Structure formats: structure tokens, C-alpha cells
Amino acid sequence: MKLYVPLILLSGVFNCMAAPVPYSEALELAKKDKKNIVVVCTGSDWLPSANDIEKAYASLEKDFPQDKVIWALYDEKEKASEAELKAPKPPIGVWNFPAVQILDSEARPVFYAEGIKPSTLMKLGPIVEKYEKLIDKRDGLWNAAKDKSGEEAYVLIAKGLDAMPEKMARYYKPQIEQLAKLDPSDKTGAHMKYTFGFLSFIEKEINGRIKDQKFDEAKKYIQDCLKKPALTTYQRQMLMAGMFRLQKEQGNLPAALDSLKALVKIDPKTEFAQGAKRMVAYYTQPVKMKNLSWSQGDNRPLWIPMLFDVSSVMKEPGTYEIEFKHRDGHTKFRNPVIKSGNNELVKVSDDKESNKFTVTISKLSGRPILQIDSQGTGWFAGCGDVIITKK
Amino acid sequence: MRMERILLSGALMLSLGMLSVTQLAEAKLPTEVSSAIARSDFSQVQQKLTELIQSGIQGKTLNQIIQDKELMKLITASEVIQLTGASQLDELVKSKKSYGAFLNTFLDDVAWMQLYLQAGLIPHDNAVSLRVLGDIWQAHGDDPDFRKYLSLATGTAAAWGAGNFAPKLQNAEKSLTSGNKSNPVWRYKFFRDAHKANKLHKNFINLKPWEIRFVSGGVWDDASLKYTQNTINIPPRRYGDACWKAEYCGTSEFGDTIQGPLFYVAWSDSMGQAQKTVEHGGVCGALSHVGHTAAAARGIPSYPVGQPGHCAYGFRPERGKWLGGFGGPDGGPHNYIFPGKAPTCINLMEEAFKNDAKVAKGYEYATVASVLARLDNVKLADEAWLVAIKTLPHNMFIQQDYQKFAKANNLLNGEQWYDYAQNLIRQYNGHGFAVIEVLKPVMPDVLDQCNDAQKLQLFASLQQALANTPTSWAEDITPILSDQSAQLSSNKNAEKYLELLLNTHMNAGDGSSFGKVLEWSINEYVNAGKGDVFSKAFSKAVAKGGKSTGSNDAQHEKRMSEAYGKAIVAAENARSLSAVRSVSEAAKAYQRKEYNAPAKSELDLPKGKLVSDKGYLRLSTSSGWDSPCDHLNVLTLGGGAFHTDNEEKPSVIVELPEGVDVSGVLVVKNHGNEWRTKKMKMSRSVDGATWFDIAETNDMPKQWKVEFKDKTPAKWIKIESLPNEKTPLHLNRILIFAK
């Protein structure tokens, strides 16, 4: 909402919007006047951009709806007094100053950005307006819920939480707990959406059950959770990661890898999907080496081929000794094959593990590639060089 | 790629490769030296330098040598070559011609060479640091502000070539994945640009090369420095919390344990360790590295530190003030100049390098001494060494180089070595562990000519220095005690040694080694059936110290009680279960007869087996109201007592002899002043540094019983009081039960 005022009054407007109040004061004002708070977190005695931040802040007059919002400054000093250390802090701990938080009149967060530049502050007005509307919408839903009960109330409370960014909604514990009370079975998963933690899921629900050999119970848990419509993409993908873990521990790697592929299908663009793709490749793809050495990251937990381009050292038929000379740790090797294109020039398949192999190539054409099954041991510290000598 | 400059005429200039016009005009190394550098014949360079120095010092006093700028340049260059190794430099120049150009510049720049030598740790017999310095010079030597960042370049190079992290850093240069790569030239530019962009701590630009090691010499990849700089920017005092930007978790999203190689495999190799840890979690090692890297990325010196079963870190917003993160800064630092444990080796480093002018002078004289010694000018060398060690007595490397020189030239007899040792011990008061390390090469010579009385005198001085050394549980004095005790030829003198030990550590310093002294004494005497010897020595030590007033017997009893109390607290702080239990046993007579608390029959005990009675406790603070002789009883059904000082968050930690699966904890208040213990928190740990909250109460009842159905592993249980204002914590019982 823009303010259109005669020029003569502009100076008055500017004066009203002069300095932001300290955060502790803003809390009192917000409660009293039922206003939202925009707090900028800075560090006046250590943050190089602190001066620029305050200047940018002070020049926001034209765009911010100052009748509905309290502008506050939280100054986290390097040399803070005892009183300053004890003063109330904004709800979200800051890791990257400067930061800005938009809070409702009860100091609950709806927006957070950190590591901001002074120039970003200048564009804060529209964001403040957007989140003011969000707060209004949310409060409207929650006020309506007060007059309802059971499923109706549940839906309204959940919608109110959904109106906010998920990370912010997690701060609203009373509303989240209300969902649990209104529907202990959490049919839609709205409660789970705001309480799901990957660590307790994977450690307690999955690994805990695996340890107790309760595989079917773990599988049912995952399948029941997947039916809940409210869960986020990340949470669904996390459930599939749990299924992967379960099936892998049951010794069913093909099924486990299918679960990872299903994870990817949920949303291939997420980082989690990228991680799942890497895991699939990790467990299935041969490891193509860039030179005649291998390092810790090339080890695998199961027998997987390593591929070495040996064309620089195998140039003619003959008998060759291939040595895997370790610099550290231990990688197991077996079954060397020399290939050229699709042709296997020589193949050993006796499954005998060794660091040294002798192969005889009677005909050599094309670009020879050494394929060798390998498996990491221990902490996968195995690394070393491949030394090929013609006998 | 650096732009080639137009060279002045002359085959020599052409063969040197890239030199700026300005540098050519100023080049002052004698032609025969420069040409030998160009031919990568550093033996010849050294020979030429030696000849020139030999002729230059003729008829000069030490002062005149120091004042002679050109002579000092030759001397310093000779020392650099000697330390690095002529053949190493030959290989370096042969590998790439531009290193020849760099060395011509560097060896002609006495200020730069001295800065390099003052870096604390530089490589001997390898040219890695000079290679790195050459690479940085090659990339940025023409920048107008290169001299402003000379400390950064030199410190980075020193860290790359010498020290605990050097092999890993060199290895990381060869990494094929950006998430594992470390490159010194990149680091130089990263920190230089960050400083120009005002992203670094205000003290960064004043850091000397020895400090830069703790900024740009960290072992995590370059990507991690960039990532943490972009994501963590907090007041410098808060870098102790920076590790918590990451989540503590021991299981990956795919269910793999962090105690194995699969935890991070899903995440791209282009992602550095810091980003992997912040986005996907880790445990103490990874989190501590996030914290220390984040501090370093802001130009704040820091180091990761090993503790038993745990990894923590230290960081330093200003000289001399190391702060801890995740339970640091004490323990075994992974990055250091002087070997040893923190805080002692770190305090020594701060002492040795605290005065920039003295560091410059001390190293200058040490350089001259070293070169003159090689020229067999023993008299002048000795003079120079004595100035060096007088200027920088706490630089253990300079002290030990002097010792080698003095021994090689038979400059001191046994008695003089004894005096040297005693003098050094006096100077190292407050750095007792360091002086023992410094004297190691000469101690056999000193002790060989001593009788037991003289040895006891020497050991008394050493123990005084040790007692006055601020230290922590991380430092173990017991090997020193065993070693010294073994030097004495009779039981009678060994007992005199015990008396001086107990007397010194009970009555001097802050008592931080006292707990370990007790532990050793108990093992050597009480457990060996010589408890009476220990008790007699303890009693004598008490008689010599203490400030209590009263009649003689009562005075002695009060002193004994206080002394036992102090001994118990010292043993608790030294984390020595055996010493705590033994001294508490010996102090039984000084325990209270009864406690103002619920009787045993009134206790509401959790299920399980009582295990706390085998452990010991440690308070956040003690106070005049505390009764350490009653501490152990707190962990038994009969109850006991403790009383911290007034604090904002007083706490008590119970350590069990081994980890258990806790079934329940019962915390019992004393009768009276119960309002002090209302809002309370209970947490558990399996490594002594990472705490997981397990229970909380806003209004603690007289008996606060907490029971656990789920697996609750713990070796430590902490009870914390969270009052609104400073209050002490006092409890009657903390009983821990196991399944």
C-alpha cells in the first residue's frame, strides 16, 4: 500500500520512519499494537557491512507499509554487555549476518533470509507486503478453526500451516500438536509433514527395525506413510531411501536399486534424486579410471569392475604381469580381462584374489582396456598404482 | 598466465626466463651466484656464498656483521639453501626454469627470506615450500600489492612444506575432483581477495607467517573454505558454535553409518567436505572441521584437536586468546608449530612468537650463528647463539640448535650444562612441559654428573615450573614423574622426590597437574603396598602449605581436610577415576557423618542395577561451601554432598567407568534451599563432549526420577541447573541405573 501525501508532509513521514527500534522494544510494541515485526540482524562492532545495512534500512520509507509493521534491529555485537547477551533474540538463530526475519505479532517467524546484501534490503518492501498478506490469510484460517472441531478444524489448521514456508511452519508447535490431537492417526500426514526428521526416521523406524529383524513391519510403515497425501517431495524421497536401506539389508540389492529409481521418479530435479542416481551408479556401474592408479573414492562395497586404459603400456601381443601396488589400505582384485571394444582378448574367471596377475595376449588390436573386479575393504583406504610389465 | 616481460640484454637474463624490468634493474646478487642459480647448481651457489661470506666477515665483530646489509643478505641466502638442501633446489629449478627466476628474486630479498625463516616450521631437506612460494610469486608477484600480502604467501608456503598437514596438502594438490582439491596458489588468492572485500577478521592483515599456518594451512579442501565463508558469518566470539551449523548425525539418508566409508558417497565429488557435512550431517570430527574451517575462512587462526574418543577445535580471535569449539581447545592439536598437547604447546608458541621485533632479532642472530658455525667460526657463532637464545628463550627449535652447536664444540662442561638447565627452567616457568622437551637432548649430560641431591634440586625446579604451567586434563605429567623417579638411586631419595612432588603441586600454581600427580603417586605407592609412605608425604605437604588458623592439632586436621578436598577436586578435573577413588578413600575420616536429605528407605529407585557408585563426578565450579570429601558419596545410595559456586548454569557431570544402557536416573535434593534447583536439564554423552538432552523439568521435585524404555547409551550423565539468576547447584544424590 503506497502512501500518497503532500510534499510538505513527506518530511514528517520520513521522520516517523527514521530509525528502527531495538528488537526487545519491538516485541513489546508488537504485542501491544498487534503489529508484525521486520527485524534486521546485524553486528555493529564487527560486521563490515553494518553501516551500509543501517543506511539501506533507513531509506526504505517509500515502500514499506509502516502502519502495519514494526521495523526492528537486532544487533549481535562482538563485545556485547551482559545485558545485551541476555536480551531476547529473534526466534531463528543467525549463521550468516546480515539477516532479516519477518515475524507476526507474537514473534513467530514467517520469513527468513540470511547473508543478505544491503541492496537486497532496498527490495524488502514487496516481500513484507507479501508476507503480511500471508499472515492475514493464515490467521483467518486459524480463527475459523476455533469455531470448528474434528476434521474441519484439522483441515483449517493444516491449511494455515501450509500457507507458510515449510521450514517456518515447523516453529508452530502448538498448532502442530493440535493436529495430532484432532487426528491421532494422522490420515493425511499433515502432522508428520511438520515433525518428520530424517535422522529419527532412518535410525529408529528403519535401522531400529532392521536390527530387530522386523523387516515386514518396516516395509508396512513406509508403505503406510507413502499413502499420506500431505508429505513433501523430500519426505517421500526419504521414505524410498528407507525402503532402499531395508531391501539392501535384506540382501535384495536389485529391489533396493529399484527403490532408488522410484525415488528419482518422484522428482528427478531434487538434490536427493541426484544423490540416489549416484548411489545406483555406485552399486552398478564399472569405475572408469582416468589413469593407471586408483584412489579411496574408487573403492566399492561389492565386487564391481574397475576399467583402466592400458593402451600406453600394452602395445603388442605377449605376456604381461599386472601388479596392483598399494600405497595405502587394501583393495581386493580378481578376474582380470583385457578387452578391446567388445572383444575379450584374454579373460581370467577363477575368482582368485591377488595383487598380481599374469596374462598372455596372443592377438592385440584396437585400444586395450583392463577390466578387473575390485572390492574395497575396511574404510576404503585402498589406493595405489597399476604397474604393467611385459615379460 | 603471467605476462612475459621484456628482458634486458644478456644471455644470463634470457636464461633466467621471466623477470620484470624493475626486478632486473634491482638484482644485486653477485653475477657468479645468479649464474649458478640459472644453471641449477646450488652446490656452486652455496660455495660462492660461503667464499663471499668468509671474506666479508674478516675482521668484523658480530655487531658489524649484523649491520652489514649486503653481508646479511648473503648469510641469509646461505642459510635458506642449507636448510632446503642444494640438491633439492637443483631439482626444483630443473623442473621449471621460472623457479630459477623466483629464487633469484627471493634470495636477493633479505626481508622476505627472514620472513620465511621466521615462519616457525619450514621444511628441511625439501623444497616444497619454496616451490609453493615460487608458484605464488609466478602467479601474483607482479601484483602491485604483492608485498602487502607477503606474510600470507610465505605462511601458506611454510604450511604446505612442513608440519603435520603438509603431506595431505601436497597430496590434495593432485586430486582430480574439485571437492577434494587443495591448491596453495588458489588459497593465496582466496584470502587476498577476501581481505580486499572486507570479509576477513580485522586482525588478518597483521598475521605473521607462523599464524597464517592456522588460517590457510588447514587440511580440508579449498571448496570448503569458500563454502564456509559464504554460509557462516558470525561475531568472532561465536566461532566456537560454528560447528553446529551442521547437524550431528551418525547415519546417512541412505542408512549408512558414519563409522564407515559409505556415509557421503551419494554426494557429488565436486562438493567439498564442509558442504557435505552441513547439508548431510556428520559427527564430532566433521563438525569440528566445519567449525575450524569456518573460522579460518574468516582469517581467524584455528586448529582441529584430538581428544580421547572425540574431535574438537580451537580458534583465536586475538593473539594469546585461544577459545574452544565442541569441547576444545585442549587436547592434541592437529596443526602446530611446537609438538605437544594443547594448551601447553600452544601457550609456548604464543610466548615464543608474541613480540614481532624480538622474533625478527632472534631469528636474525640464529641465522648468523648457524652460518658462522658452518664456517667453523666457533667464537662468533657462540656469541650469536647466545644473543639468539637470550632474545627468544622460548623458541625450542633455536634452543635445541644451540645445544647441538655447544655439544659439537664441547663448549660447556657438566656443571655448566647443569647451570644452563637450571637457568632455562627458571625462564620456562609456566611452560614446564616445554622445558622438559627442550632439555631432552642434554638431560643425559646434565644428570650424568649429578648426585641424587643435585638431581632432586633439578627436579624440584622442574616440578615448580610444571606446577606453574596452566594445563588441563589433556596433558599427562605421569611419564615425566616415572622418568625422574627412576633417576634416583635409593628408596629414601625416591620418597624425598614424592614429598617434593606433593608439596609443589599441592601448594603452587593452579593445581591443574595435581590430579595426575596424585594418580601417579597412588599407583607407585598406595597400590604397591606403600600406602604409609604416601600418607606421610601427603601429611608433610599439607603441613608445609595451607592457610587455616586454629590450635595445632585442629589446625592440622583442618589443613588435612582442605588438602584432601583440593586433591579430590584436582583428581576430578584431571579426569582420573583411580586418583579420585583412592584419595576419597584416604579422606574418609573427613567426610560428614550425616546428610540433611531423605533417608535411603525413602528413595524412589528406578529399575536396574546401580552403576553410578563405580564412577566419579566433576563440578562446573567448586566453592567455599563445597565438601569434596563427600563427592563420591553423592553417587551411592547413602547420599553425599557437593556445592558449586554461584553460576548462571551450574552443572555436575558423572562419569562412569564404562558406557552402559541407562534404565533410569534418580536425582535427590538436600533438605533446605530447595528453591535453587527448580528448572533442570539432564543430558547424556558417549564421548564426553557431545551431549544429548534426555530429560527436563521446570519444577524439580525432591526426588526427580527419570526412566528410559528405549536404548539410552551413556558413559557420562550431566545435570544442569537453569536458574533465572546466578545460583549454586547442590544435590544429595545422583544415582544412575543400568539395564
Side-chain angles (χ1 to χ4, degrees):
Chain A
M1 193 171 76
K2 293 196 177 185
L3 291 172
Y4 292 97
V5 293
L7 192 62
I8 195 162
L9 289 176
L10 267 179
S11 58
V13 168
F14 276 37
N15 282 341
C16 287
M17 304 176 192
V21 299
Y23 178 68
S24 47
E25 252 180 68
L27 285 176
E28 309 271 342
L29 288 170
K31 236 186 205 162
K32 182 168 79 79
D33 301 337
K34 299 260 182 286
K35 283 186 182 176
N36 301 322
I37 308 170
V38 181
V39 55
V40 168
C41 307
T42 182
S44 60
D45 64 350
W46 64 272
L47 184 65
S49 60
N51 280 344
D52 296 332
I53 287 286
E54 291 196 36
K55 279 185 204 154
Y57 207 34
S59 71
L60 272 170
E61 293 86 22
K62 279 186 193 163
D63 287 334
F64 64 71
Q66 63 113 19
D67 57 339
K68 281 188 86 175
V69 155
I70 296 163
W71 291 86
L73 204 68
Y74 174 69
D75 186 3
E76 183 154 347
K77 289 182 185 163
E78 168 68 1
K79 300 228 184 283
S81 66
E82 220 174 290
E84 282 168 333
L85 286 170
K86 283 191 175 158
K89 295 178 176 34
I92 302 177
V94 179
W95 285 112
N96 196 359
F97 283 82
V100 65
Q101 305 186 32
I102 300 175
L103 316 175
D104 66 13
S105 59
E106 290 177 55
R108 296 175 300 186
V110 293
F111 172 83
Y112 177 72
E114 62 176 14
I116 58 170
K117 294 190 174 111
S119 53
T120 309
L121 265 188
M122 302 298 289
K123 299 171 195 161
L124 206 54
I127 296 174
V128 174
E129 284 184 7
K130 176 185 165 186
Y131 280 87
E132 291 237 289
K133 286 180 185 150
L134 179 153
I135 292 170
D136 286 343
K137 179 184 172 188
R138 179 203 72 185
D139 289 351
L141 289 162
W142 287 350
N143 285 335
K146 282 181 189 160
D147 299 327
K148 303 273 190 264
S149 60
E151 195 172 320
E152 282 186 68
Y154 179 98
V155 167
L156 289 166
I157 292 168
K159 274 190 175 165
L161 289 168
D162 289 347
M164 294 181 286
E166 187 218 325
K167 279 191 178 154
M168 298 296 110
R170 283 176 173 253
Y171 283 85
Y172 293 77
K173 294 207 183 324
Q175 283 74 15
I176 294 167
E177 288 319 305
Q178 256 191 296
L179 291 178
K181 284 186 186 135
L182 289 166
D183 179 9
S185 71
D186 195 27
K187 259 195 317 290
T188 63
H191 180 262
M192 186 175 182
K193 176 179 178 179
Y194 294 110
T195 55
F196 183 88
F198 97 86
L199 193 60
S200 59
F201 164 69
I202 199 73
E203 283 191 341
K204 196 173 153 204
E205 307 295 353
I206 303 302
N207 279 355
R209 288 188 168 104
I210 289 172
K211 187 166 169 267
D212 294 337
Q213 303 282 302
K214 292 177 181 170
F215 297 105
D216 290 340
E217 196 182 289
K219 188 173 179 183
K220 185 173 182 313
Y221 175 82
I222 295 170
Q223 286 168 335
D224 287 346
C225 288
L226 283 167
K227 289 176 189 157
K228 295 177 194 290
L231 297 190
T232 64
T233 299
Y234 168 76
Q235 288 161 356
R236 290 178 185 293
Q237 289 181 322
M238 191 60 230
L239 287 165
M240 291 315 296
M243 188 69 90
F244 157 79
R245 173 72 180 169
L246 180 66
Q247 288 160 332
K248 186 161 78 77
E249 290 304 297
Q250 281 183 290
N252 191 347
L253 188 61
L257 295 175
D258 283 343
S259 293
L260 285 181
K261 289 170 189 165
L263 184 164
V264 174
K265 255 195 180 146
I266 293 171
D267 185 349
K269 293 192 296 298
T270 65
E271 207 208 314
F272 206 168
Q274 300 306 312
K277 275 190 210 166
R278 270 185 223 105
M279 289 293 273
V280 171
Y282 187 80
Y283 279 96
T284 58
Q285 297 300 305
V287 188
K288 277 188 196 153
M289 314 310 294
K290 287 182 179 145
N291 52 31
L292 291 177
S293 64
W294 80 102
S295 62
Q296 292 89 339
D298 301 317
N299 286 265
R300 295 291 182 269
L302 62 167
W303 288 106
I304 290 266
M306 275 190 198
L307 302 174
F308 296 89
D309 181 343
V310 294
S311 56
S312 60
V313 285
M314 282 184 174
K315 294 177 199 271
E316 56 190 6
T319 298
Y320 291 87
E321 183 186 82
I322 304 168
E323 185 189 359
F324 294 90
K325 198 172 163 116
H326 284 81
R327 276 180 265 118
D328 197 6
H330 179 63
T331 308
K332 298 195 286 189
F333 294 100
R334 71 181 188 192
N335 298 340
V337 179
I338 306 292
K339 294 164 93 156
S340 176
N342 289 330
N343 297 330
E344 287 179 350
L345 304 179
V346 65
K347 179 177 178 171
V348 176
S349 52
D350 57 8
D351 287 354
K352 264 177 91 175
E353 293 169 27
S354 178
N355 288 329
K356 266 189 194 161
F357 301 90
T358 304
V359 296
T360 301
I361 304 171
S362 48
K363 259 190 199 165
L364 181 60
S365 58
R367 197 182 186 89
I369 301 290
L370 164 64
Q371 174 183 294
I372 183 115
D373 289 347
S374 66
Q375 186 180 26
T377 63
W379 279 80
F380 290 6
C383 63
D385 303 295
V386 184
I387 311 217
I388 299 178
T389 336
K390 187 164 189 287
K391 288 196 158 236
Chain B
M1 190 124 175
R2 196 167 147 239
M3 248 175 81
E4 293 213 354
R5 306 277 179 171
I6 299 168
L7 303 173
L8 287 179
S9 61
L12 175 64
M13 305 307 172
L14 285 170
S15 69
L16 287 174
M18 294 179 273
L19 269 181
S20 72
V21 172
T22 318
Q23 286 165 325
L24 280 170
E26 289 175 351
K28 291 188 194 78
L29 279 173
T31 313
E32 58 265 54
V33 173
S34 300
S35 58
I37 292 173
R39 288 196 312 273
S40 56
D41 184 355
F42 280 85
S43 302
Q44 183 67 6
V45 172
Q46 189 68 298
Q47 195 182 315
K48 285 292 167 201
L49 284 172
T50 304
E51 285 166 15
L52 290 166
I53 294 165
Q54 195 71 280
S55 115
I57 63 173
Q58 287 306 313
K60 284 199 170 89
T61 64
L62 181 62
N63 260 346
Q64 286 168 334
I65 293 170
I66 293 282
Q67 304 294 339
D68 187 334
K69 286 194 169 79
E70 279 308 309
L71 187 53
M72 281 305 296
K73 184 195 301 181
L74 301 175
I75 287 172
T76 313
S78 174
E79 181 68 355
V80 168
I81 294 168
Q82 181 66 21
L83 290 173
T84 310
S87 58
Q88 303 287 343
L89 290 169
D90 289 344
E91 290 308 309
L92 182 66
V93 175
K94 278 183 194 150
S95 71
K96 202 157 96 176
K97 266 215 165 79
S98 56
Y99 289 124
F102 158 68
L103 285 167
N104 246 309
T105 303
F106 179 68
L107 295 173
D108 190 47
D109 189 331
V110 70
W112 195 0
M113 284 192 283
Q114 285 172 346
L115 196 65
Y116 174 72
L117 293 172
Q118 292 161 29
L121 260 187
I122 52 171
H124 290 200
D125 295 325
N126 93 59
V128 171
S129 289
L130 291 184
R131 187 265 297 169
V132 166
L133 207 46
D135 289 341
I136 295 172
W137 175 84
Q138 179 80 1
H140 296 285
D142 265 356
D143 297 344
D145 55 7
F146 183 65
R147 282 208 90 78
K148 183 176 174 185
Y149 295 100
L150 213 55
S151 202
L152 171 62
T154 311
T156 303
W160 228 262
N164 197 30
F165 286 158
K168 284 190 178 154
L169 289 169
Q170 290 163 42
N171 217 27
E173 279 184 85
K174 301 173 204 155
S175 175
L176 298 170
T177 54
S178 57
N180 293 316
K181 206 168 179 63
S182 297
N183 181 284
V185 180
W186 183 94
R187 289 205 182 182
Y188 168 84
K189 186 173 186 298
F190 172 78
F191 282 104
R192 183 202 68 182
D193 291 351
H195 177 255
K196 287 182 181 180
N198 231 349
K199 289 183 182 178
L200 301 185
H201 192 274
K202 61 183 174 166
N203 289 344
F204 167 79
I205 199 59
N206 299 322
L207 296 178
K208 294 295 178 201
W210 66 274
E211 299 166 289
I212 290 289
R213 160 179 297 277
F214 297 96
V215 170
S216 67
V219 78
W220 262 13
D221 49 271
D222 296 341
S224 291
L225 281 167
K226 188 173 177 183
Y227 176 80
T228 52
Q229 194 183 81
N230 285 342
T231 52
I232 300 173
N233 186 21
I234 49 182
R237 62 176 163 82
R238 266 188 59 197
Y239 275 90
D241 293 332
C243 55
W244 298 110
K245 170 79 176 162
E247 186 177 347
Y248 185 97
C249 68
T251 310
S252 76
E253 292 98 325
F254 295 94
D256 294 302
T257 174
I258 197 157
Q259 304 298 342
L262 301 179
F263 192 87
Y264 295 112
V265 297
W267 313 112
S268 168
D269 281 341
S270 62
M271 206 190 272
Q273 269 305 119
Q275 188 175 358
K276 281 183 189 168
T277 306
V278 168
E279 293 184 1
H280 302 287
V283 290
C284 59
L287 264 62
S288 287
H289 275 78
V290 166
H292 120 76
T293 304
R298 291 284 167 185
I300 299 172
S302 65
Y303 59 77
V305 65
Q307 299 176 345
H310 178 65
C311 187
Y313 65 103
F315 68 103
R316 192 199 84 173
E318 52 183 279
R319 270 194 187 176
K321 267 197 179 150
W322 285 88
L323 305 173
F326 211 159
D330 297 341
H334 292 185
N335 200 359
Y336 50 83
I337 291 181
F338 299 133
K341 292 266 163 53
T344 47
C345 70
I346 298 295
N347 287 346
L348 182 73
M349 175 184 75
E350 292 285 342
E351 182 68 43
F353 287 91
K354 73 181 180 192
N355 185 316
D356 292 345
K358 283 190 174 176
V359 167
K361 182 181 172 186
Y363 271 94
E364 201 176 36
Y365 277 86
T367 301
V368 168
S370 177
V371 170
L372 291 178
R374 277 203 301 282
L375 299 182
D376 290 327
N377 194 325
V378 175
K379 184 176 174 296
L380 272 181
D382 188 37
E383 222 182 292
W385 273 124
L386 291 175
V387 175
I389 62 174
K390 189 178 174 194
T391 310
L392 291 179
H394 296 96
N395 190 308
M396 65 193 310
F397 299 149
I398 289 180
Q399 283 288 351
Q400 287 181 333
D401 283 346
Y402 164 71
Q403 288 166 9
K404 271 188 216 144
F405 164 78
K407 279 179 84 166
N409 291 282
N410 293 316
L411 293 180
L412 300 180
N413 60 29
E415 208 177 293
Q416 286 166 322
W417 276 119
Y418 184 90
D419 290 342
Y420 164 80
Q422 283 283 33
N423 187 43
L424 203 65
I425 292 166
R426 269 192 294 279
Q427 290 182 303
Y428 273 65
N429 193 30
H431 301 283
F433 291 94
V435 77
I436 289 181
E437 202 54 44
V438 172
L439 288 172
K440 248 192 196 145
V442 299
M443 212 38 139
D445 298 300
V446 173
L447 291 173
D448 266 350
Q449 56 84 47
C450 283
N451 57 32
D452 270 13
Q454 288 166 314
K455 283 179 188 172
L456 280 168
Q457 249 184 335
L458 189 68
F459 295 157
S461 303
L462 280 166
Q463 290 303 326
Q464 189 69 34
L466 284 164
N468 288 330
T469 300
T471 182
S472 75
W473 55 268
E475 196 69 76
D476 189 1
I477 196 178
T478 57
I480 296 168
L481 308 181
S482 298
D483 193 53
Q484 289 180 351
S485 180
Q487 301 286 339
L488 298 163
S489 57
S490 70
N491 282 342
K492 188 172 162 215
N493 286 326
E495 285 166 20
K496 280 188 182 169
Y497 176 70
L498 176 65
E499 281 170 28
L500 83 83
L501 264 190
L502 291 174
N503 176 41
T504 308
H505 288 278
M506 189 189 291
N507 298 314
D510 63 5
S512 42
S513 286
F514 188 29
K516 286 287 184 187
V517 166
L518 282 170
E519 182 181 280
W520 178 86
S521 309
I522 283 159
N523 277 341
E524 289 293 305
Y525 290 90
V526 176
N527 295 348
K530 295 189 227 168
D532 55 331
V533 174
F534 172 82
S535 298
K536 198 168 121 194
F538 192 90
S539 192
K540 273 190 181 174
V542 170
K544 279 188 180 163
K547 293 181 178 67
S548 310
T549 55
S551 71
N552 276 344
D553 279 351
Q555 186 179 18
H556 183 73
E557 283 304 290
K558 194 144 198 263
R559 274 193 193 153
M560 285 295 287
S561 168
E562 284 169 359
Y564 272 122
K566 186 174 175 180
I568 290 167
V569 170
E572 288 167 352
N573 290 335
R575 305 183 189 194
S576 172
L577 174 62
S578 60
V580 170
R581 298 200 74 85
S582 294
V583 179
S584 297
E585 181 63 33
K588 257 197 152 82
Y590 302 98
Q591 290 172 1
R592 291 184 199 170
K593 300 287 177 266
E594 56 185 9
Y595 304 102
N596 189 18
K600 220 193 282 191
S601 55
E602 293 173 309
L603 296 178
D604 180 16
L605 299 175
K607 290 193 183 69
K609 181 181 157 206
L610 181 70
V611 290
S612 51
D613 58 344
K614 307 281 181 299
Y616 74 99
L617 58 80
R618 201 164 75 239
L619 308 180
S620 49
T621 53
S622 185
S623 71
W625 293 97
D626 194 14
S627 51
C629 298
D630 298 290
H631 283 186
L632 272 193
N633 286 345
V634 170
L635 307 177
T636 66
L637 292 172
F642 70 81
H643 197 301
T644 72
D645 206 351
N646 282 338
E647 288 182 66
E648 281 184 7
K649 281 192 202 172
S651 65
V652 55
I653 295 174
V654 177
E655 181 177 334
L656 302 171
E658 57 196 13
V660 300
D661 186 2
V662 179
S663 58
V665 180
L666 180 68
V667 185
V668 181
K669 292 188 195 187
N670 303 297
H671 294 319
N673 287 322
E674 293 175 47
W675 57 270
R676 286 177 175 159
T677 38
K678 278 191 108 51
K679 190 171 179 190
M680 305 286 284
K681 187 167 77 167
M682 189 186 298
S683 42
R684 67 171 180 93
S685 176
V686 294
D687 63 7
T690 318
W691 295 98
F692 301 96
D693 294 347
I694 50 177
E696 252 187 71
T697 173
N698 284 330
D699 189 5
M700 180 181 157
K702 178 76 112 209
Q703 296 188 44
W704 181 27
K705 179 166 113 176
V706 185
E707 291 189 285
F708 307 99
K709 282 198 191 119
D710 292 341
K711 198 168 156 67
T712 311
K715 187 169 181 280
W716 289 264
I717 296 285
K718 176 160 64 173
I719 311 292
E720 233 173 320
S721 173
L722 307 168
N724 291 330
E725 54 191 23
K726 284 187 182 178
T727 324
L729 173 63
H730 46 75
L731 295 167
N732 170 253
R733 289 171 177 96
I734 303 171
L735 304 175
I736 302 167
F737 292 78
K739 288 172 191 150

